[in-house]
Amino acid sequence: MTVAQPTRTTQPTLIASPPGTGGEASPLPQRILMKGNEAMAEAAIAAGCDAYFGYPITPQAELLEWMARRMPEEGRVFVQAESELAAINMALGAAAAGARVLVSSSSPGISLMAEGMSYMAGSRLPVVLINVMRGGPGLGSIGAAQGDYLQATKGHGHGDYRVPVLGPSSIAEAIDLVREAFAIAERYRTPVILLADGILGQAMEPVSPNFEALAPSTPDWTLDGADGREPRVVKSLHLRPEDLERHDIALQAVYEEIEANEIRWAGEELADAEIILVAYGTAARVSRTAVQRARAQGLRAGLFRPISLWPFPAAALREASAGARAVVAVEMSAGQLVEDVRLAIEGKVPVFHHGRMGGMVPTPDGVVGAMRQAWAVTDGGAA
Amino acid sequence: MTSQPQTGDQDVQLAEGGRTVYRRPLLLSNPTSYCPGCGHGIVHRLVAEVLEELDLGHRTILVGSVGCSVFAYDYLALDAVESPHGRAAAVATGVKRYRPDKVVFTYQGDGDLAAIGTAEIIHAAARGERFTTIFVNNGIYGMTGGQMAPTTLVGQRTTSSPLGRNPATTGYPLPVTEMLSLLPGVAYAARVSVASPMLVGKTKAALKRAFEVQLEGRGFSLVEVLSTCPVGWGMTPTEAMEHLATDVAAVYPLGTWVDRAKGVAPAMPLTMEAAKAVAGPAVHPADTAPEA
Ligand SMILES: Cc1ncc(C[n+]2csc(CCOP(=O)(O)OP(=O)(O)O)c2C)c(N)n1
Ligand code: SF4
Ligand SMILES: [Mg+2]
């Protein structure tokens, strides 16, 4: 059984609604006000990002703009690509050459990157991809949304592969998770997605400017010209089915390792909760406020917040909800997260969905209403 | 790395007075599995010879593409990375920007470069990326069974233009080298052919010049090699070579379009001089980057 990482469960304040932004230990005067997109960019630079490739799209553009200024200052690589297709493939090249690479975009651009991500997964190339999600489908809206949950967690591109997905709820947490995303990417030689949303990208919050570095890794597979050694090939092609199956089995073994080691979640007020909300990202912040309001009104509510969206903290959620009357998935999408919640809970507790779409954000009162409804239609006998 | 001998197999002891007249380039590792009469094998060999003669094998990174040459990394003993179909120029941008001290080249077919990858090649050229592109134009999608490409000749029958390419609905052959030569970022652009031993010699010279231009950090260098696909063209190898020397050459003129260091360049809509007059000289990060 995988358990939550202690640092995460003992610091539930990380998900506080504003102004709780994590790093609560540091006194206010030491904090600086930063936009989420800029904070994530600076976190990547601090973590040792060697190369950034991107293409402008709202609500992610400030990330690219920050990198345009800061990466050359640091003597590192910045290219504004001609498309997201080009950006992800520049990332592929730089990663193959050994660079620590960041790519960012928002929903439509992320769709364009699907083929490249599949190639990078197949070629075992690390990269961190930040998706500052907006409303869809299609050109959709530029409002914050979470409609790319299934795309991110169930594969993104073609073929049998998975991508670790991290969903920060605050800017401070996003700063930490950017660094962790690079660490996971390099530890397992895999792309990693940081699933943020338009509110997280656009909001300004006070953050402690204690961005941390990540030690450089020294891989033995990167390309630098075969000087005094055998040539290396970075590729995803294995033409003979028996060879490709062997490669795919090796990939699946890596995913099992990730599932065993990289589960992250946080919980609040879970011990006696009758109704448990499950939410990530901005929806989790709304949910936190809703939990407080419900409790003030006498409804014992709790919040389970997955931080790793793949691997999903299924066992932890199953345990946490064992004594609950109902579970409500709160999301800024039509019912995507709720699928994982149902799979995790295995029918043991009734599961409901409360979501807004298109760039609309659930309100705390709306969430409280959903909890009341769940309470009303269940008999509490499930536990 | 010591310079490799120009001729002779390292393992073979020559008899007294003996002279090597032919040997495999050391960078050519395995026999290729191309169809008889296919031009790819010739171009591979030339690339191997040129890199060997310039002593670059130990610091070159091949950016492969998707087409019949997808296994180029099996034939050339070089560090190599695969690209998705059409994206080689973007992949090479990533490699070269991170490792500006290495020699980087893409090897792409005409479907790869001139259809699905047009955006990437145009913008890599426009940015003046300091890598070399070897563009093997056989006027057809060889790998997928001989379908029409943007480079297919007017009237040419392919599996997806069974009545012959009709320009009224499918346009005319795309003159990639002429188009790219209009861009100030292009430091070298030439079209060559493998239609005869004499032309193969010229192809080798063009490849060498392209790599030299890259080594001098002058910008993007392109060699379009007109090549054969006897299988896709429905011809014997001999017929295909004749067709290449005549009909194909008539549509795609050979020559050096750009060699900026030597003052060869067409009139451009926006000259580098005009651009600089407005903005001042450009400084490439690779020329100013702090020592790693
Ligand atoms: C995204 C995508 N679309 C289509 C293909 C199928 N495909 C593979 S090679 C190729 C055409 C190759 O033609 P060309 O680049 O001219 O190379 P040649 O085989 O003629 O040397 C196509 C369409 C693919 N691999 N990926
Ligand atoms: S199909 Fe054409 S391009 Fe491909 S190997 Fe055969 S001859 Fe060469
Ligand atoms: Mg072709």
Side-chain angles (χ1 to χ4, degrees), chain B residues 141-167:
Chain B
Y141 287 70
M143 187 188 219
T144 42
Q147 295 85 4
M148 185 185 72
T151 42
T152 297
L153 303 191
V154 169
Q156 185 178 341
R157 285 171 196 267
T158 70
T159 54
S160 61
S161 58
L163 303 178
R165 180 176 186 172
N166 176 3

PDB file of all heavy atoms in Angstrom, chain B residues 141-167:
ATOM      1  N   TYR B 141       6.645   9.717 -51.644  1.00  0.00           N
ATOM      2  CA  TYR B 141       6.683   9.117 -50.307  1.00  0.00           C
ATOM      3  C   TYR B 141       7.134   7.674 -50.484  1.00  0.00           C
ATOM      4  O   TYR B 141       6.314   6.799 -50.771  1.00  0.00           O
ATOM      5  CB  TYR B 141       5.303   9.117 -49.661  1.00  0.00           C
ATOM      6  CG  TYR B 141       4.788  10.450 -49.174  1.00  0.00           C
ATOM      7  CD1 TYR B 141       4.419  11.450 -50.059  1.00  0.00           C
ATOM      8  CD2 TYR B 141       4.635  10.691 -47.812  1.00  0.00           C
ATOM      9  CE1 TYR B 141       3.923  12.663 -49.613  1.00  0.00           C
ATOM     10  CE2 TYR B 141       4.136  11.902 -47.360  1.00  0.00           C
ATOM     11  CZ  TYR B 141       3.781  12.883 -48.263  1.00  0.00           C
ATOM     12  OH  TYR B 141       3.276  14.075 -47.811  1.00  0.00           O
ATOM     13  N   GLY B 142       8.418   7.440 -50.362  1.00  0.00           N
ATOM     14  CA  GLY B 142       8.940   6.088 -50.579  1.00  0.00           C
ATOM     15  C   GLY B 142       8.422   5.104 -49.542  1.00  0.00           C
ATOM     16  O   GLY B 142       7.875   4.048 -49.869  1.00  0.00           O
ATOM     17  N   MET B 143       8.565   5.468 -48.305  1.00  0.00           N
ATOM     18  CA  MET B 143       8.344   4.497 -47.233  1.00  0.00           C
ATOM     19  C   MET B 143       6.914   3.972 -47.163  1.00  0.00           C
ATOM     20  O   MET B 143       6.686   2.807 -46.853  1.00  0.00           O
ATOM     21  CB  MET B 143       8.702   5.118 -45.888  1.00  0.00           C
ATOM     22  CG  MET B 143       8.666   4.102 -44.760  1.00  0.00           C
ATOM     23  SD  MET B 143       8.859   4.872 -43.174  1.00  0.00           S
ATOM     24  CE  MET B 143       9.880   3.665 -42.365  1.00  0.00           C
ATOM     25  N   THR B 144       5.958   4.847 -47.428  1.00  0.00           N
ATOM     26  CA  THR B 144       4.569   4.428 -47.239  1.00  0.00           C
ATOM     27  C   THR B 144       3.949   3.839 -48.502  1.00  0.00           C
ATOM     28  O   THR B 144       2.742   3.623 -48.549  1.00  0.00           O
ATOM     29  CB  THR B 144       3.719   5.613 -46.742  1.00  0.00           C
ATOM     30  OG1 THR B 144       4.096   6.781 -47.467  1.00  0.00           O
ATOM     31  CG2 THR B 144       3.931   5.867 -45.266  1.00  0.00           C
ATOM     32  N   GLY B 145       4.760   3.635 -49.531  1.00  0.00           N
ATOM     33  CA  GLY B 145       4.248   2.931 -50.695  1.00  0.00           C
ATOM     34  C   GLY B 145       4.094   3.771 -51.940  1.00  0.00           C
ATOM     35  O   GLY B 145       3.279   3.456 -52.814  1.00  0.00           O
ATOM     36  N   GLY B 146       4.854   4.859 -52.024  1.00  0.00           N
ATOM     37  CA  GLY B 146       4.910   5.596 -53.279  1.00  0.00           C
ATOM     38  C   GLY B 146       3.744   6.527 -53.543  1.00  0.00           C
ATOM     39  O   GLY B 146       3.255   6.631 -54.673  1.00  0.00           O
ATOM     40  N   GLN B 147       3.297   7.242 -52.516  1.00  0.00           N
ATOM     41  CA  GLN B 147       2.247   8.243 -52.738  1.00  0.00           C
ATOM     42  C   GLN B 147       2.849   9.560 -53.243  1.00  0.00           C
ATOM     43  O   GLN B 147       4.052   9.798 -53.151  1.00  0.00           O
ATOM     44  CB  GLN B 147       1.466   8.518 -51.441  1.00  0.00           C
ATOM     45  CG  GLN B 147       0.665   7.336 -50.919  1.00  0.00           C
ATOM     46  CD  GLN B 147       1.479   6.400 -50.064  1.00  0.00           C
ATOM     47  OE1 GLN B 147       2.654   6.667 -49.795  1.00  0.00           O
ATOM     48  NE2 GLN B 147       0.891   5.282 -49.662  1.00  0.00           N
ATOM     49  N   MET B 148       1.982  10.435 -53.732  1.00  0.00           N
ATOM     50  CA  MET B 148       2.405  11.746 -54.223  1.00  0.00           C
ATOM     51  C   MET B 148       2.942  12.604 -53.074  1.00  0.00           C
ATOM     52  O   MET B 148       2.386  12.601 -51.977  1.00  0.00           O
ATOM     53  CB  MET B 148       1.195  12.439 -54.861  1.00  0.00           C
ATOM     54  CG  MET B 148       1.534  13.755 -55.516  1.00  0.00           C
ATOM     55  SD  MET B 148       0.017  14.557 -56.096  1.00  0.00           S
ATOM     56  CE  MET B 148      -0.695  15.070 -54.559  1.00  0.00           C
ATOM     57  N   ALA B 149       3.999  13.333 -53.362  1.00  0.00           N
ATOM     58  CA  ALA B 149       4.560  14.285 -52.406  1.00  0.00           C
ATOM     59  C   ALA B 149       4.397  15.686 -53.007  1.00  0.00           C
ATOM     60  O   ALA B 149       4.085  15.821 -54.188  1.00  0.00           O
ATOM     61  CB  ALA B 149       6.040  13.976 -52.170  1.00  0.00           C
ATOM     62  N   PRO B 150       4.641  16.739 -52.218  1.00  0.00           N
ATOM     63  CA  PRO B 150       4.568  18.088 -52.794  1.00  0.00           C
ATOM     64  C   PRO B 150       5.604  18.297 -53.893  1.00  0.00           C
ATOM     65  O   PRO B 150       5.499  19.222 -54.686  1.00  0.00           O
ATOM     66  CB  PRO B 150       4.872  19.003 -51.600  1.00  0.00           C
ATOM     67  CG  PRO B 150       4.619  18.182 -50.394  1.00  0.00           C
ATOM     68  CD  PRO B 150       4.905  16.764 -50.778  1.00  0.00           C
ATOM     69  N   THR B 151       6.615  17.420 -53.921  1.00  0.00           N
ATOM     70  CA  THR B 151       7.726  17.521 -54.852  1.00  0.00           C
ATOM     71  C   THR B 151       7.527  16.691 -56.114  1.00  0.00           C
ATOM     72  O   THR B 151       8.333  16.758 -57.039  1.00  0.00           O
ATOM     73  CB  THR B 151       8.977  17.021 -54.134  1.00  0.00           C
ATOM     74  OG1 THR B 151       8.587  15.842 -53.404  1.00  0.00           O
ATOM     75  CG2 THR B 151       9.509  18.040 -53.153  1.00  0.00           C
ATOM     76  N   THR B 152       6.473  15.898 -56.148  1.00  0.00           N
ATOM     77  CA  THR B 152       6.202  15.018 -57.296  1.00  0.00           C
ATOM     78  C   THR B 152       6.060  15.844 -58.584  1.00  0.00           C
ATOM     79  O   THR B 152       5.470  16.933 -58.569  1.00  0.00           O
ATOM     80  CB  THR B 152       4.906  14.220 -57.013  1.00  0.00           C
ATOM     81  OG1 THR B 152       5.145  13.391 -55.872  1.00  0.00           O
ATOM     82  CG2 THR B 152       4.477  13.372 -58.184  1.00  0.00           C
ATOM     83  N   LEU B 153       6.600  15.316 -59.680  1.00  0.00           N
ATOM     84  CA  LEU B 153       6.540  16.055 -60.946  1.00  0.00           C
ATOM     85  C   LEU B 153       5.104  16.085 -61.483  1.00  0.00           C
ATOM     86  O   LEU B 153       4.317  15.164 -61.229  1.00  0.00           O
ATOM     87  CB  LEU B 153       7.451  15.398 -61.995  1.00  0.00           C
ATOM     88  CG  LEU B 153       8.935  15.230 -61.645  1.00  0.00           C
ATOM     89  CD1 LEU B 153       9.718  14.825 -62.904  1.00  0.00           C
ATOM     90  CD2 LEU B 153       9.527  16.488 -61.036  1.00  0.00           C
ATOM     91  N   VAL B 154       4.806  17.136 -62.220  1.00  0.00           N
ATOM     92  CA  VAL B 154       3.486  17.233 -62.854  1.00  0.00           C
ATOM     93  C   VAL B 154       3.310  16.048 -63.809  1.00  0.00           C
ATOM     94  O   VAL B 154       4.211  15.716 -64.572  1.00  0.00           O
ATOM     95  CB  VAL B 154       3.342  18.562 -63.621  1.00  0.00           C
ATOM     96  CG1 VAL B 154       2.097  18.552 -64.495  1.00  0.00           C
ATOM     97  CG2 VAL B 154       3.303  19.728 -62.641  1.00  0.00           C
ATOM     98  N   GLY B 155       2.174  15.399 -63.701  1.00  0.00           N
ATOM     99  CA  GLY B 155       1.897  14.261 -64.574  1.00  0.00           C
ATOM    100  C   GLY B 155       2.399  12.936 -64.045  1.00  0.00           C
ATOM    101  O   GLY B 155       2.010  11.880 -64.550  1.00  0.00           O
ATOM    102  N   GLN B 156       3.231  12.979 -63.013  1.00  0.00           N
ATOM    103  CA  GLN B 156       3.813  11.734 -62.495  1.00  0.00           C
ATOM    104  C   GLN B 156       2.739  10.884 -61.823  1.00  0.00           C
ATOM    105  O   GLN B 156       1.966  11.365 -60.998  1.00  0.00           O
ATOM    106  CB  GLN B 156       4.929  12.065 -61.494  1.00  0.00           C
ATOM    107  CG  GLN B 156       5.673  10.836 -60.984  1.00  0.00           C
ATOM    108  CD  GLN B 156       6.800  11.226 -60.023  1.00  0.00           C
ATOM    109  OE1 GLN B 156       7.253  12.370 -60.006  1.00  0.00           O
ATOM    110  NE2 GLN B 156       7.243  10.275 -59.220  1.00  0.00           N
ATOM    111  N   ARG B 157       2.723   9.591 -62.204  1.00  0.00           N
ATOM    112  CA  ARG B 157       1.764   8.667 -61.581  1.00  0.00           C
ATOM    113  C   ARG B 157       2.341   8.149 -60.275  1.00  0.00           C
ATOM    114  O   ARG B 157       3.487   7.693 -60.234  1.00  0.00           O
ATOM    115  CB  ARG B 157       1.507   7.470 -62.502  1.00  0.00           C
ATOM    116  CG  ARG B 157       0.631   7.798 -63.683  1.00  0.00           C
ATOM    117  CD  ARG B 157       0.615   6.604 -64.652  1.00  0.00           C
ATOM    118  NE  ARG B 157       0.091   7.018 -65.947  1.00  0.00           N
ATOM    119  CZ  ARG B 157      -1.190   6.909 -66.286  1.00  0.00           C
ATOM    120  NH1 ARG B 157      -2.050   6.391 -65.441  1.00  0.00           N
ATOM    121  NH2 ARG B 157      -1.607   7.316 -67.470  1.00  0.00           N
ATOM    122  N   THR B 158       1.544   8.225 -59.259  1.00  0.00           N
ATOM    123  CA  THR B 158       1.920   7.637 -57.970  1.00  0.00           C
ATOM    124  C   THR B 158       0.700   6.882 -57.461  1.00  0.00           C
ATOM    125  O   THR B 158      -0.368   6.947 -58.074  1.00  0.00           O
ATOM    126  CB  THR B 158       2.296   8.717 -56.935  1.00  0.00           C
ATOM    127  OG1 THR B 158       1.107   9.426 -56.561  1.00  0.00           O
ATOM    128  CG2 THR B 158       3.321   9.702 -57.474  1.00  0.00           C
ATOM    129  N   THR B 159       0.833   6.226 -56.340  1.00  0.00           N
ATOM    130  CA  THR B 159      -0.306   5.448 -55.825  1.00  0.00           C
ATOM    131  C   THR B 159      -1.434   6.357 -55.357  1.00  0.00           C
ATOM    132  O   THR B 159      -2.572   5.919 -55.241  1.00  0.00           O
ATOM    133  CB  THR B 159       0.122   4.522 -54.665  1.00  0.00           C
ATOM    134  OG1 THR B 159       0.786   5.311 -53.672  1.00  0.00           O
ATOM    135  CG2 THR B 159       1.040   3.424 -55.145  1.00  0.00           C
ATOM    136  N   SER B 160      -1.137   7.635 -55.099  1.00  0.00           N
ATOM    137  CA  SER B 160      -2.230   8.541 -54.721  1.00  0.00           C
ATOM    138  C   SER B 160      -2.498   9.605 -55.788  1.00  0.00           C
ATOM    139  O   SER B 160      -3.309  10.506 -55.582  1.00  0.00           O
ATOM    140  CB  SER B 160      -1.944   9.203 -53.361  1.00  0.00           C
ATOM    141  OG  SER B 160      -0.776   9.968 -53.421  1.00  0.00           O
ATOM    142  N   SER B 161      -1.808   9.491 -56.921  1.00  0.00           N
ATOM    143  CA  SER B 161      -2.167  10.296 -58.102  1.00  0.00           C
ATOM    144  C   SER B 161      -2.154   9.332 -59.286  1.00  0.00           C
ATOM    145  O   SER B 161      -1.301   9.411 -60.169  1.00  0.00           O
ATOM    146  CB  SER B 161      -1.181  11.463 -58.319  1.00  0.00           C
ATOM    147  OG  SER B 161       0.153  10.999 -58.463  1.00  0.00           O
ATOM    148  N   PRO B 162      -3.103   8.387 -59.267  1.00  0.00           N
ATOM    149  CA  PRO B 162      -3.042   7.287 -60.250  1.00  0.00           C
ATOM    150  C   PRO B 162      -3.150   7.752 -61.694  1.00  0.00           C
ATOM    151  O   PRO B 162      -2.677   7.071 -62.593  1.00  0.00           O
ATOM    152  CB  PRO B 162      -4.233   6.397 -59.853  1.00  0.00           C
ATOM    153  CG  PRO B 162      -5.107   7.244 -58.977  1.00  0.00           C
ATOM    154  CD  PRO B 162      -4.219   8.247 -58.320  1.00  0.00           C
ATOM    155  N   LEU B 163      -3.728   8.937 -61.917  1.00  0.00           N
ATOM    156  CA  LEU B 163      -3.829   9.438 -63.294  1.00  0.00           C
ATOM    157  C   LEU B 163      -2.714  10.427 -63.607  1.00  0.00           C
ATOM    158  O   LEU B 163      -2.714  11.079 -64.646  1.00  0.00           O
ATOM    159  CB  LEU B 163      -5.199  10.099 -63.509  1.00  0.00           C
ATOM    160  CG  LEU B 163      -6.402   9.192 -63.228  1.00  0.00           C
ATOM    161  CD1 LEU B 163      -7.708   9.959 -63.414  1.00  0.00           C
ATOM    162  CD2 LEU B 163      -6.375   7.954 -64.123  1.00  0.00           C
ATOM    163  N   GLY B 164      -1.784  10.568 -62.698  1.00  0.00           N
ATOM    164  CA  GLY B 164      -0.718  11.549 -62.863  1.00  0.00           C
ATOM    165  C   GLY B 164      -1.030  12.792 -62.051  1.00  0.00           C
ATOM    166  O   GLY B 164      -2.204  13.165 -61.900  1.00  0.00           O
ATOM    167  N   ARG B 165       0.010  13.463 -61.543  1.00  0.00           N
ATOM    168  CA  ARG B 165      -0.225  14.650 -60.717  1.00  0.00           C
ATOM    169  C   ARG B 165      -0.892  15.744 -61.545  1.00  0.00           C
ATOM    170  O   ARG B 165      -0.353  16.176 -62.563  1.00  0.00           O
ATOM    171  CB  ARG B 165       1.089  15.176 -60.124  1.00  0.00           C
ATOM    172  CG  ARG B 165       0.873  16.412 -59.253  1.00  0.00           C
ATOM    173  CD  ARG B 165       2.144  16.885 -58.577  1.00  0.00           C
ATOM    174  NE  ARG B 165       1.823  17.976 -57.650  1.00  0.00           N
ATOM    175  CZ  ARG B 165       2.674  18.502 -56.792  1.00  0.00           C
ATOM    176  NH1 ARG B 165       3.910  18.041 -56.713  1.00  0.00           N
ATOM    177  NH2 ARG B 165       2.300  19.485 -55.999  1.00  0.00           N
ATOM    178  N   ASN B 166      -2.016  16.195 -61.078  1.00  0.00           N
ATOM    179  CA  ASN B 166      -2.777  17.228 -61.778  1.00  0.00           C
ATOM    180  C   ASN B 166      -2.575  18.558 -61.065  1.00  0.00           C
ATOM    181  O   ASN B 166      -3.079  18.756 -59.957  1.00  0.00           O
ATOM    182  CB  ASN B 166      -4.260  16.836 -61.782  1.00  0.00           C
ATOM    183  CG  ASN B 166      -5.138  17.915 -62.405  1.00  0.00           C
ATOM    184  OD1 ASN B 166      -4.636  18.941 -62.881  1.00  0.00           O
ATOM    185  ND2 ASN B 166      -6.436  17.682 -62.392  1.00  0.00           N
ATOM    186  N   PRO B 167      -1.859  19.497 -61.672  1.00  0.00           N
ATOM    187  CA  PRO B 167      -1.550  20.750 -60.969  1.00  0.00           C
ATOM    188  C   PRO B 167      -2.786  21.576 -60.652  1.00  0.00           C
ATOM    189  O   PRO B 167      -2.757  22.420 -59.752  1.00  0.00           O
ATOM    190  CB  PRO B 167      -0.620  21.487 -61.935  1.00  0.00           C
ATOM    191  CG  PRO B 167      -0.841  20.849 -63.254  1.00  0.00           C
ATOM    192  CD  PRO B 167      -1.278  19.442 -63.009  1.00  0.00           C
TER     193      PRO B 167
END
